[in-house]
Amino acid sequence: MKLETYIAADNIISPLGFTSEENFEQLKNKKTGVQKIASSPYSLQPIYAALIDEKKIDTEFKKLNISNPFTRLEKLMILSISAALKQNQAIDIQSKKTLLIISTTKGNIDLLDPAHTAGFDKKRVYLWETARVIQEQFKSPNKPLIISNACISGVLGIIMAKRLLECETYENIVVCGVDILTEFVVSGFQSFKAVSADIAKPYDETRDGISLGEGCGTLIFTNRKERMQANVTPILVKGGAISNDANHISGPSRTGDGLLLAIEKTLREAQVPASAVDYISGHGTATLFNDEMEALAITDAKLASVPMNSLKSYFGHTLGAAGVIESIVGIHSMHTNTLIGTYHFNKLGVSKPINILKTTQQANVNTCLKTAAGFGGCNAAVLFQKQAVL
Amino acid sequence: MSQEQTYITSFCSLQSGQVNINHSLAFSEEKIASPASSAEAIANEGSSAEALPKERASSAEALPKERASSAEALAKEDSDFLKSVYKHYQLNYPKFYKMDNLCKLAFITSELILKNNPLSEKYKAEDIAIVISNSASSMDIDQEHQRTISDKNNYFPSPSAFVYTLPNILIAEIAIKNSIKGENAFFIFDTFDSTFMSEYVNSLINTGKATCCIAGWVDFYEGNYHAFLYTVEKQPGILNRKHAPKELEKLFLHQS
């Protein structure tokens, strides 16, 4: 029999805060982490982006009393994983039965720039070397699994955790999604002319591109129900699937067929009909093509009336971290029965009448569908559900 | 969970100036100067690779390898090798010339394997999975993108390079060429992980998430390249090797 996957702990580090609760409060208060950055090492022109305060990272990191040198990216990972582990003492990271999954698109890519190398070995830019230093820091006996699959990396990490926890090999899986703001990534998206001149406006008729961001999210899963935190309604991962558009390397499908396939496979695995989905946490990058593609897929999946939001105008697009951070917000929406309005969304600008949440509101949220799409035509969906109260 | 037997039904590797298809040396750098045997290989291509004379393997091993020492020169030589394989097999796919080295390597390897074993003729597009891994991610093209932004007085980042700065783009190139829409994932390992690969791909097939899979390793960085792609199916196929870690490791390391 397949074992169930329960959520055991979570943490978000973003410009909006260093805990999930802090972040969720900020979202409820309509606070965005995306700011105008006038002059920066990241861009020749001023940009809107979500940047975590360096001093805050260092202050928090000092509290951990770690003497080894770590990169900015690794500090975020260590802070986030430590915070999540601290929440749930039943999860033993040093157990052979606990696996760490790292989801990232670019890892320590800032080290490629000679100005940022800062004494770190050249090898440190390899993702497996980052994984090794994190493994060593947490004294984990297992080599971490590294997923680098563009902007679906975070959701893919969650799907992978569910698949691995279905059998007995592991009892706990820690999924850490992370990416930092770098000149490497900013200049690339600027060359694509994909960066918004303002804070991104997901699904809006005046949307003109993405806002980039940085962040780290950690989700801990277990297939041992007794390791759930007390006084918390159990939330399970019930299904997940990945697909490819096979259309274009840097543009989404024009029909949404790839994302539709991932959603259908996810609902089928979860044995949840479209009519039972209470909330969709969309990808909503605020590019013309992405948001339109999502609207088509959501409509074809018979989910057009389901309340949906994008969190990209709060966190920016955090690439490999996005799927994890946005799933955690979805999970807190389920815990608090509170759906977050889409910041900067005003008037629907996609061709299908999907139900984009404008304002934060109370609603019964028992089932949450998280979707993601990325460069390389990849799509992913994952379904979270509250355990039925008997 | 029912554990059905799965098989490695075909494989192709590109490494050190040689192309191997199902245990047979199909092409090597020395052929570039030998048009006669080139024509013969084209004639053989598509049919059983076993028909190729066995001596070729040993003569290729004896090739003198006086390679340039700088990484850049090596990378150029290696992309020249990719072009000669592409031309030799008349792959005729204009998008090839736009690809970065990593995608070129993946594309050629996948084409050679799918020519012999056309999965799309046997399976539905959404049931074919692609699961690929490597060590250096997309660092070959990452370095190139970095060079375009390091000098503020000579700043020229380009979308045509940036789009390749994600390793899973190579999966997209294979998916686009063959209209494959199934499960896909890209993993990073310091070395090829035959245990994870076989367990994960087998679980995709055993849980009905895919009926077959293109899997393996495609790595290109600092003048070193190694591609090893293989197909996994429920039937033994021509190759008839169990899809298990030991068998996989042997094929990866070129031990028959």
Side-chain angles (χ1 to χ4, degrees), chain A residues 115-284:
Chain A
H116 284 102
T117 313
F120 287 102
D121 192 288
K122 219 182 135 196
K123 192 165 79 170
R124 198 76 160 231
V125 76
Y126 282 92
L127 295 178
W128 44 259
E129 179 63 7
T130 305
R132 193 192 62 77
V133 300
I134 300 295
Q135 178 193 352
E136 202 174 87
Q137 177 60 35
F138 287 99
K139 300 187 175 65
S140 162
N142 299 310
K143 252 190 201 180
L145 180 66
I146 309 157
I147 297 169
S148 190
N149 211 105
C151 304
I152 70 163
S153 300
V155 173
L156 221 156
I158 296 169
I159 295 171
M160 215 54 64
K162 171 177 168 48
R163 290 178 181 173
L164 292 169
L165 286 172
E166 277 175 3
C167 43
E168 298 279 350
T169 319
Y170 297 105
E171 293 174 1
N172 316 301
I173 294 187
V174 179
V175 177
C176 180
V178 65
D179 264 307
I180 53 170
L181 199 69
T182 58
E183 185 183 18
F184 185 100
V185 170
V186 172
S187 65
F189 277 100
Q190 283 174 336
S191 76
F192 256 105
K193 310 226 178 303
V195 181
S196 175
D198 193 354
I199 298 172
K201 303 183 191 84
Y203 310 112
D204 191 87
E205 62 175 357
T206 62
R207 70 185 183 277
D208 65 344
I210 67 170
S211 294
L212 285 161
E214 63 180 358
C216 185
T218 301
L219 259 171
I220 303 182
F221 302 96
T222 180
N223 53 21
R224 304 292 144 137
K225 197 182 175 188
E226 68 276 11
R227 290 185 194 153
M228 292 277 312
Q229 286 168 278
N231 314 320
V232 175
T233 313
I235 292 178
L236 298 92
V237 186
K238 295 299 285 183
I242 310 147
S243 68
N244 200 289
D245 295 339
N247 178 58
H248 193 274
I249 54 170
S250 60
S253 143
R254 292 295 176 100
T255 64
D257 60 340
L259 181 58
L260 174 66
L261 184 63
I263 293 172
E264 284 176 342
K265 283 184 171 182
T266 298
L267 295 179
R268 213 176 304 143
E269 183 182 38
Q271 294 181 301
V272 166
S275 59
V277 176
D278 295 320
Y279 159 58
I280 303 165
S281 174
H283 190 55

Side-chain angles (χ1 to χ4, degrees), chain B residues 4 7 37 109 125 135 145 158 173 203 212 221 226:
Chain B
E4 263 184 86
Y7 298 89
S37 60
T109 314
S135 157
H145 176 66
S158 124
E173 295 285 13
S203 82
C212 65
Y221 191 46
H226 184 187

Side-chain angles (χ1 to χ4, degrees), chain A residues 279 281 311 325-335 365 368:
Chain A
Y279 159 58
S281 174
L311 301 167
I325 291 176
E326 293 162 12
S327 289
I328 295 171
V329 172
I331 287 156
H332 282 256
S333 281
M334 296 172 82
H335 282 313
V365 193
C368 162

Side-chain angles (χ1 to χ4, degrees), chain A residues 1-2 42 44 105-106 109 112-114 122 125-128 143 145-150 156 160 163-164 166-167 183-185 187-189 191-192 240-250 257 261 265 269 375-378, chain B residues 1 95 126-127 134-139 141-143 145-146 149-150 152 155 157-159 162-169 171-173 175-176 179-191 196 200 204 207 209 221-222:
Chain A
M1 212 191 80
K2 280 183 190 172
Y42 307 104
L44 298 182
T105 64
K106 298 308 309 166
I109 197 68
L112 269 192
D113 183 349
K122 219 182 135 196
V125 76
Y126 282 92
L127 295 178
W128 44 259
K143 252 190 201 180
L145 180 66
I146 309 157
I147 297 169
S148 190
N149 211 105
L156 221 156
M160 215 54 64
R163 290 178 181 173
L164 292 169
E166 277 175 3
C167 43
E183 185 183 18
F184 185 100
V185 170
S187 65
F189 277 100
S191 76
F192 256 105
I242 310 147
S243 68
N244 200 289
D245 295 339
N247 178 58
H248 193 274
I249 54 170
S250 60
D257 60 340
L261 184 63
K265 283 184 171 182
E269 183 182 38
F375 270 10
C378 50
Chain B
M1 200 185 307
K95 279 181 194 162
E126 61 258 43
D127 290 337
N134 78 6
S135 157
S137 183
S138 55
M139 284 208 290
I141 193 83
D142 289 357
Q143 291 278 13
H145 176 66
Q146 183 64 43
I149 57 170
S150 290
K152 299 292 168 279
Y155 201 79
S158 124
F162 182 67
V163 65
Y164 287 104
T165 63
L166 293 163
N168 63 298
I169 299 299
I171 292 181
E173 295 285 13
I176 292 167
S179 301
I180 292 172
K181 301 197 167 187
E183 279 279 337
N184 55 100
F186 200 97
F187 298 99
I188 306 284
F189 300 110
D190 52 350
T191 54
F196 178 82
Y200 181 63
L204 284 180
T207 55
K209 293 182 175 73
Y221 191 46
E222 292 188 328

Side-chain angles (χ1 to χ4, degrees), chain A residues 75 91 96 117 229 300:
Chain A
K75 283 179 190 169
I91 307 297
K96 192 85 192 131
T117 313
Q229 286 168 278
D300 288 345

Side-chain angles (χ1 to χ4, degrees), chain B residues 33 44 50 58 73 97 117 122 132 136 139 142 177 184 186 211 215 220:
Chain B
N44 278 321
E50 304 277 315
S58 51
Y97 292 99
N117 187 12
K122 295 187 272 183
I132 299 178
M139 284 208 290
D142 289 357
K177 173 64 173 59
N184 55 100
F186 200 97
T211 51
F220 193 121

